[in-house]
Amino acid sequence: MNADMIAAWAVENGFHAMDCGNYRRHDNAGVITIEIKRMSFLLIDERQGLRPRLISRLFKDISLRTTLQRVA
């Protein structure tokens, strides 16, 4: 798992690039933001009516299927 894989997944799943390493998706449920860092990523889930949920993972500790598919 690396930053390029996270970025490709984000674009394929409707996220729009905000700037280098930041992707955001808006829908009726709220806003989801992915911030890609050098060795990790931060996912911010801001659904309407709920407290924002933060998920931070090191690339070496995740698989694309388990963490990101829960969000899509």
Side-chain angles (χ1 to χ4, degrees), residues 40-65:
S40 64
F41 76 94
L42 173 66
L43 186 138
I44 305 166
D45 185 355
E46 300 175 88
R47 308 265 174 153
Q48 294 177 354
L50 300 174
R51 286 189 340 202
R53 185 173 57 156
L54 303 174
I55 301 170
S56 179
R57 299 285 186 268
L58 293 172
F59 293 138
K60 67 178 185 142
D61 294 339
I62 63 169
S63 71
L64 189 60
R65 296 175 193 256

Side-chain angles (χ1 to χ4, degrees), residues 6-60:
I6 299 282
W9 180 91
V11 170
E12 289 173 7
N13 286 279
F15 287 79
H16 300 283
M18 296 172 22
D19 55 33
C20 185
N22 292 316
Y23 297 84
R24 181 171 285 165
R25 182 175 79 185
H26 298 268
D27 60 20
N28 292 337
V31 178
I32 299 174
T33 304
I34 298 174
E35 295 181 8
I36 301 172
K37 308 295 182 187
R38 197 175 106 208
M39 305 273 294
S40 64
F41 76 94
L42 173 66
L43 186 138
I44 305 166
D45 185 355
E46 300 175 88
R47 308 265 174 153
Q48 294 177 354
L50 300 174
R51 286 189 340 202
R53 185 173 57 156
L54 303 174
I55 301 170
S56 179
R57 299 285 186 268
L58 293 172
F59 293 138
K60 67 178 185 142

